[in-house]
């Protein structure tokens, strides 16, 4: 995978219209990055650069064209309908270098299902580019079938993430793919294997399952996939690759599930964990790794086992404390050593079932949280039934309902910030102030909480209720974009108002997002209009309104 070496010789290039080979590697800027023995370096920058304040000016724009279609797939041998990006699940990986500008043209060709769409670049900070965050009802109307939309953002961070639809449950119909932003790393490795998606999967579609999720709670899912493949009964095949003894490999793990918390492991091997979400961390060793929905971990695994004739199971194990899966002990891939072709006979590391976060995350670039907050948002979480007897989640007693046809950014641009209660807005008018968010639950259900437009600081996280005597960790706490609210516990997050926009915060369990477990921060509203291309916002909305009238589309979820 030595993309860098292959590309290093070429000079900058911008955009192209022909089909891109897979993986979609594009030419890089003059900077040659780093080598297997100098991963902490990055041209004139390094792992020591504070990427919140300094970003390489590569002058390069990476341009991608993606097309969404209705498809029939059989990733575990069982055929069903789905949706795909350029025909595959996961879709093509977007590659860029730290500092590049990325432009993504998305064509909605979902003409069989007539679904609208939007594409969110999870974890991408969208620094002063909120209109490119790709969230239906917040930053845009859904993009109608037959229409296209273009997103442009700067890669101010580096590491691993994913893009996914932010329209209804469409991400889990298959509209997802990886994002790799090349940059420095906190440990050396020989080869970069790229993204490795961990997903849950069912032989019914998420749209078919949604009604039962709303009436009876989360359904038991049939299976799971490792990078888009697994077996089921006698069908399908397993993700597998071959390791060369002595070589170290970087894997970019992402949990792209609708409702599954995984523990990930490779039997007999230890992982060196080097990043959580887009944040490089002090490397630590793990044999079993917790990964919640929406989270990413970058790990390095060295092929250090003795016999070259061996093979090893790779496992993504749904945690029964918060996920139900009928194949939970068989979501597996295979790592072969050089000349092995045998089925592994290795055993899993022992672990305690649970849906918690990793506990030893120390960001490499150390940051301190302001000890006084100008806004403290208290957001207790609860669940109840709406008037149709369907589950609805609430934060601060509000279940979010926002209108596909009336996105927050449009309202701000039109000078109307008299939000309805159901729009679940917390306004943050002032620049560069600290915000604390206290999220708490008395229910024994953990939730992965994701914030758009920011990395947040996890200043408290634990079981039981939060009180004013809870100790806050302000000295370089874990920093990321998705963290677990523990079962019957609390999660206290902090961030700084350094990015004007309307930013969604929500539970990343697909059912829960659709059932209203979401809120939005309207940050520095007076500065937003200047950042918006109003005509593209309005044209996209006009096409959606016309489409939804033609097909009598009804919105039956939160809108995000
Ligand atoms: C995706 O498909 C479109 C054609 O629909 C093609 O032009 C484009 O190059 C493909 N993109 C990638 C990243 O493979
Ligand atoms: C974010 O955007 C602001 C406004 O353009 C700019 O001053 C700041 O340097 C940017 N931050 C990064 C990390 O690029
Ligand atoms: C999207 O397509 C799915 C699959 O055909 C369908 O079940 C669902 O109702 C559609 N959703 C909307 C909002 O159009
Ligand atoms: C996983 O799939 C993506 C998309 O096809 C691909 O880019 C990536 O290399 C695969 N990962 C591994 C570890 O094989
Ligand atoms: C290993 O992956 C290949 C495709 O890359 C597939 O054809 C093969 O069946 C897989 N092996 C197993 C044991 O599933
Ligand atoms: C894996 O580790 C176990 C326990 O240490 C050991 O018994 C076994 O031989 C190892 N398997 C392989 C294939 O190396
Ligand atoms: C929570 O709801 C109450 C009552 O509607 C409201 O006064 C308060 O501002 C809300 N708090 C937040 C953080 O939204
Ligand atoms: C302003 O927004 C509110 C809430 O979305 C809405 O009820 C009201 O009709 C809007 N007013 C105008 C003048 O558009
Ligand atoms: Cu949830």
């Amino acid at each position: 995978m030595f993309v860098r070496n292959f590309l290093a010789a070429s000079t900058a290039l911008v955009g192209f219209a022909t089909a891109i080979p897979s993986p979609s590697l594009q030419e890089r800027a003059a900077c040659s990055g780093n080598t297997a023995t100098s991963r902490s370096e990055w041209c004139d920058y390094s792992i020591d650069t504070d990427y919140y304040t300094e970003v390489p000016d590569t002058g390069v724009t990476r341009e991608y064209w993606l097309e969404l279609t209705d498809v029939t797939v059989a990733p575990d041998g069982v055929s069903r309908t789905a949706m795909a990006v350029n025909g595959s699940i996961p879709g093509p990986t977007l590659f860029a270098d730290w500092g590049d500008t990325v432009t993504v043209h998305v064509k909605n060709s979902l003409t069989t299902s007539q679904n609208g769409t939007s594409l969110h670049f999870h974890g991408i900070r969208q620094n002063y580019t909120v209109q490119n965050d790709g969230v239906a009802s917040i930053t845009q109307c859904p993009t109608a079938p037959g229409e296209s939309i273009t997103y442009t953002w700067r890669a101010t961070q580096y590491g691993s993430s994913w893009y996914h639809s932010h329209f209804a449950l469409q991400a889990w119909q298959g509209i997802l793919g990886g994002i790799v932003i090349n940059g420095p790393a906190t440990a050396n490795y020989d080869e970069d294997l790229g993204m490795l998606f961990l997903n849950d999967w069912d032989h019914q579609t998420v749209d078919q399952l949604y009604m039962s999720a709303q009436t009876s709670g989360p359904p038991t899912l049939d299976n799971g996939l490792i990078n888009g493949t697994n077996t089921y009964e006698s069908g399908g095949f397993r993700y597998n690759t071959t390791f060369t003894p002595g070589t170290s490999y970087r894997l970019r793990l992402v949990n792209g599930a609708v409702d599954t918390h995984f523990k990930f492991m490779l039997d007999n091997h230890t992982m060196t964990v080097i990043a959580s979400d887009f944040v490089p961390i002090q490397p630590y060793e793990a044999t079993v790794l917790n990964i919640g929905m929406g989270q990413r971990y970058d790990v390095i695994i060295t092929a250090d086992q003795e016999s070259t004739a061996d093979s090893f199971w790779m496992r993504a194990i749904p945690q029964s404390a918060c996920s139900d899966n009928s194949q939970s002990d068989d979501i597996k891939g295979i790592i072969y050593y050089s000349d092995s072709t045998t089925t592994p006979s290795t055993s899993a590391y022992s672990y305690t079932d649970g849906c918690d976060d990793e506990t030893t995350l120390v960001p490499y670039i150390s940051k301190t949280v302001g000890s006084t907050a100008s806004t403290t948002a208290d957001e207790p979480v609860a669940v109840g039934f709406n008037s149709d007897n369907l589950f609805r989640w609430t934060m601060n007693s509000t279940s979010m309902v926002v209108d596909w046809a009336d996105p927050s950014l449009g309202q701000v641009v039109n000078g109307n910030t008299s939000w309805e209660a159901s729009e679940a807005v917390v306004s943050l008018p002032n620049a560069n102030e600290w915000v604390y968010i206290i999220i708490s639950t008395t229910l024994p259900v953990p939730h992965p909480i994701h914030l758009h437009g920011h990395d947040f600081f996890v200043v408290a996280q634990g079981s039981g209720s939060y009180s004013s005597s809870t100790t806050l960790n302000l000295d370089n706490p874990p920093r990321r974009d998705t963290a677990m609210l523990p079962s019957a516990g609390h999660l206290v997050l902090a961030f700084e108002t350094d990015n004007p926009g309307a930013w969604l915060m929500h539970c990343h369990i697909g059912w829960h997002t659709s059932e209203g477990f979401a809120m939005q921060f309207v940050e520095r509203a007076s500065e937003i209009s200047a950042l918006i291309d109003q005509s593209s916002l309005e044209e996209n909305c006009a096409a959606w309104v016309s489409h939804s009238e033609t097909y009598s589309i009804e919105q039956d979820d939160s809108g995000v």
Side-chain angles (χ1 to χ4, degrees), residues 105-140:
H105 306 276
V106 180
K107 170 140 209 247
N108 180 354
S109 297
L110 298 166
T111 46
T112 309
S113 60
Q114 296 301 346
N115 270 201
T117 197
S118 75
L119 208 64
H120 170 62
F121 305 91
H122 185 110
I124 295 290
R125 241 182 116 218
Q126 299 291 2
N127 182 47
Y128 283 74
T129 55
V130 62
Q131 193 173 2
N132 299 278
D133 200 37
V135 186
S137 314
I138 306 293
T139 63
Q140 64 170 94

Side-chain angles (χ1 to χ4, degrees), residues 20 166 340 485:
I20 306 163
H166 225 301
S340 170
L485 167 62

Side-chain angles (χ1 to χ4, degrees), residues 268 305 310 312 346:
N268 290 57
Q305 299 299 296
D310 280 327
F312 301 88
T346 55

Side-chain angles (χ1 to χ4, degrees), residues 180-221:
V180 171
I181 301 174
N182 297 308
T186 57
N188 285 330
Y189 53 89
D190 295 319
E191 293 198 30
D192 188 346
L193 294 180
M195 301 302 306
L196 191 79
F197 269 86
L198 311 180
N199 283 86
D200 47 19
W201 187 252
D202 198 87
H203 301 139
Q204 287 187 278
T205 71
V206 280
D207 282 305
Q208 288 163 341
L209 294 170
Y210 182 49
M211 186 50 81
S212 77
Q214 291 182 96
T215 53
S216 319
T220 298
L221 301 174

Side-chain angles (χ1 to χ4, degrees), residues 245 304-312 337 339:
D304 58 2
Q305 299 299 296
E306 279 174 14
S307 165
T308 57
D310 280 327
S311 58
F312 301 88
Y337 269 44
D339 44 7

Side-chain angles (χ1 to χ4, degrees), residues 226-455:
I226 295 189
N227 225 32
T229 184
N230 197 22
T231 57
Y232 189 81
E233 294 174 345
S234 58
F237 65 87
R238 292 186 193 280
Y239 169 80
N240 60 89
T241 194
T242 300
F243 278 6
T244 302
T247 302
S248 57
Y249 298 90
R250 176 178 185 163
L251 275 171
R252 299 162 181 271
L253 302 167
V254 47
N255 181 339
V258 65
D259 191 14
T260 304
H261 186 102
F262 289 111
K263 287 195 199 281
F264 177 84
M265 64 182 82
L266 176 58
D267 295 351
N268 290 57
H269 292 74
T270 300
M271 299 175 266
T272 302
V273 187
I274 61 167
S276 50
D277 301 345
F278 268 134
V279 177
I281 56 172
Q282 299 284 357
Y284 72 94
E285 310 277 291
T287 52
V288 179
L289 186 76
N290 274 290
I291 178 165
M293 282 155 273
Q295 295 183 328
R296 292 87 63 208
Y297 285 100
D298 286 49
V299 302
I300 298 168
I301 302 177
T302 301
D304 58 2
Q305 299 299 296
E306 279 174 14
S307 165
T308 57
D310 280 327
S311 58
F312 301 88
W313 290 121
M314 172 187 280
R315 303 170 195 266
I317 308 174
Q319 297 302 291
S320 64
C322 64
S323 320
D324 296 312
N325 195 292
S326 41
Q327 281 236 116
S328 57
D329 59 355
D330 205 24
I331 304 168
K332 299 200 295 252
I334 303 172
I335 298 296
Y336 297 110
Y337 269 44
S338 301
D339 44 7
S340 170
T341 52
T342 54
T343 302
S345 56
T346 55
S347 308
Y349 286 106
S350 63
Y351 63 89
T352 304
D353 188 281
C355 306
D356 296 319
D357 264 335
E358 291 291 291
T359 53
T360 47
L361 305 175
V362 180
Y364 185 84
I365 297 289
S366 181
K367 296 268 173 195
T368 305
V369 179
S371 58
T372 50
S374 62
T375 302
T376 299
D378 199 0
E379 301 289 344
V381 170
V383 67
F385 288 102
N386 69 5
S387 54
D388 295 324
N389 269 325
L390 302 174
F391 281 123
R392 286 295 176 265
W393 287 87
T394 56
M395 302 185 84
N396 192 30
S397 305
T398 300
S399 187
M400 179 185 257
V401 182
V402 279
D403 184 351
W404 281 336
D406 190 20
S408 304
L409 291 185
Q411 298 187 51
V412 172
V413 166
N414 290 322
N416 183 1
T417 48
S418 53
W419 308 101
E420 310 230 1
S422 64
E423 291 176 301
V425 170
V426 169
S427 294
L428 303 171
N430 303 325
N432 304 317
E433 293 185 340
W434 284 95
V435 179
Y436 286 7
I437 315 161
I438 302 163
I439 306 166
S440 55
T441 180
T442 55
L443 300 168
V445 185
H447 304 269
I449 304 295
H450 174 51
L451 174 65
H452 293 215
H454 295 272
D455 283 334

Side-chain angles (χ1 to χ4, degrees), residues 76-90:
D76 61 355
V78 180
S79 182
R80 54 157 267 202
T81 60
M83 297 175 188
V85 183
N86 275 32
S88 68
I89 303 172

